[in-house]
Amino acid sequence: MTKAVLYVVATPIGNLSDMVPRAIEVLQSVALIAAEDTRHSSRLLAHFNIETKAIAYHDHSDQQQAEGLLKRLLAGDSIALISDAGTPLISDPGYRLVRLVRQHGISVVPVPGACALIAGLSVSGLPSDRFAFEGFLPAKQGQRSNRLQRLQNEERTMIFYEAPHRILECLNDVVNIFGADREVVIARELTKTFETIYSGNAKEVHDFVEQDTNQRRGEIVLMIGGAEVAPQEIDSESARIMAILLKDLSVKQASQLASEITGVKKKTLYQWALDNK
């Protein structure tokens, strides 16, 4: 008997041409497709002539349904997990099923493809070497403000998904909490006909959305620049040692060696070197 696999399959977030060939092959070959919403996914499956049976599965499904899928896998049937759009489990259902399946020693294989947060970040112009994905913010204003206040000093680029009917209120909170000058980018309706990517400071982006009601429609990725890091100072002797070491060593190597010599934290020396290049 062929060993069964649970495939986690990414689907397009808008433009159906973004469907990768491997995803089509997997969806055509598995015994069953577990979809977040079968009515929504039926259009995708029909477009690519995928006749595999699909059943509804999401994280609010009962344990019995998850165990039913597990039973099929244990019997040798491979299953594909898809969400309404994009990569499953990224602010979408599925992690409980994946965890259950892995606990029983069954292979879980990703079939990569579209992901709104990565697509948005890639064109934002914000620092992308380090970022924090926060999913959807709370719907209630008080809870949303509390969450944003806790992120006020976050140094990484922050990425959120936001509902169109809440985006203006959310941007108002961003202005009040992060300040009018904090860099913000919104990516709306990515890969679709009315795709919009707009950047500016928080106040500019808020006003843009306020003045154009079309910007309060569709699916939105909200990105906020991280808090600025104040340059870290080190004593003159540590600076002298770092300057000598940096002539022949990489920043990482110089920081490590200087830390051993001076007792100053490697991270502090590393940041100093970056700030003083």
Side-chain angles (χ1 to χ4, degrees):
M1 182 174 65
T2 304
K3 192 171 182 181
V5 173
L6 174 65
Y7 293 97
V8 180
V9 181
T11 56
I13 58 177
N15 192 322
L16 292 179
S17 297
D18 292 336
M19 186 77 162
V20 299
R22 183 180 172 213
I24 298 172
E25 293 170 4
V26 167
L27 294 179
Q28 289 174 333
S29 67
V30 294
L32 185 68
I33 297 171
E36 181 180 358
D37 185 332
T38 54
R39 293 168 300 179
H40 181 94
S41 296
S42 64
R43 296 189 290 273
L44 174 77
L45 301 181
H47 180 83
F48 291 105
N49 298 314
I50 297 167
E51 298 179 352
T52 308
K53 180 182 177 181
I55 65 166
Y57 177 82
H58 48 77
D59 279 341
H60 298 294
S61 300
D62 58 28
Q63 184 67 16
Q64 186 175 358
Q65 189 173 4
E67 289 176 355
L69 293 173
L70 174 63
K71 187 175 180 180
R72 291 285 299 266
L73 288 160
L74 290 171
D77 288 338
S78 289
I79 296 174
L81 176 68
I82 62 174
S83 64
D84 285 349
T87 302
L89 282 74
I90 307 301
S91 203
D92 272 328
Y95 84 89
R96 291 187 178 90
L97 177 62
V98 168
R99 182 164 59 186
L100 176 66
V101 168
R102 288 179 58 83
Q103 287 171 346
H104 284 79
I106 296 169
S107 296
V108 181
V109 174
V111 181
C115 180
L117 79 94
I118 299 300
L121 179 63
S122 71
V123 296
S124 68
L126 294 171
S128 56
D129 54 336
R130 297 172 65 239
F131 60 91
F133 176 57
E134 289 288 328
F136 282 93
L137 286 162
K140 293 183 178 179
Q141 197 275 333
Q143 294 175 348
R144 183 173 59 242
S145 292
N146 288 338
R147 174 80 64 81
L148 291 172
Q149 284 169 359
R150 290 200 296 271
L151 293 168
Q152 198 170 7
N153 296 317
E154 172 60 62
E155 296 173 3
R156 297 170 293 179
T157 296
M158 292 162 279
I159 308 173
F160 307 86
Y161 289 162
E162 188 53 280
H165 62 280
R166 291 197 298 265
I167 185 61
L168 193 57
E169 294 178 1
C170 178
L171 286 169
N172 189 58
D173 290 340
V174 171
V175 171
N176 291 334
I177 294 168
F178 290 90
D181 293 330
R182 182 67 72 94
E183 192 172 6
V184 170
V185 181
I186 58 168
R188 186 182 69 89
E189 291 289 86
L190 285 169
T191 80
K192 301 185 180 77
T193 302
F194 298 105
E195 176 182 276
T196 305
I197 300 161
Y198 188 86
S199 61
N201 63 41
K203 184 65 166 60
E204 290 169 341
V205 174
H206 171 276
D207 292 348
F208 171 71
V209 173
E210 184 178 46
Q211 293 161 13
D212 184 355
T213 57
N214 288 323
Q215 304 310 318
R216 285 169 261 161
R217 297 175 182 173
E219 297 174 342
I220 297 168
V221 181
L222 170 65
M223 293 160 281
I224 303 174
E228 289 189 10
V229 183
Q232 298 194 47
E233 297 297 328
I234 61 176
D235 62 82
S236 59
E237 179 61 15
S238 297
R240 187 184 71 83
I241 292 171
M242 279 294 290
I244 294 170
L245 294 175
L246 285 169
K247 291 178 181 179
D248 299 305
L249 301 175
S250 67
V251 172
K252 183 178 180 180
Q253 292 170 325
S255 302
Q256 177 68 48
L257 185 54
S259 178
E260 294 174 6
I261 296 170
T262 65
V264 177
K265 288 185 178 179
K266 176 184 169 183
K267 183 178 179 181
T268 300
L269 294 165
Y270 188 94
Q271 187 61 51
W272 179 90
L274 295 179
D275 293 336
N276 287 274
K277 270 191 172 181

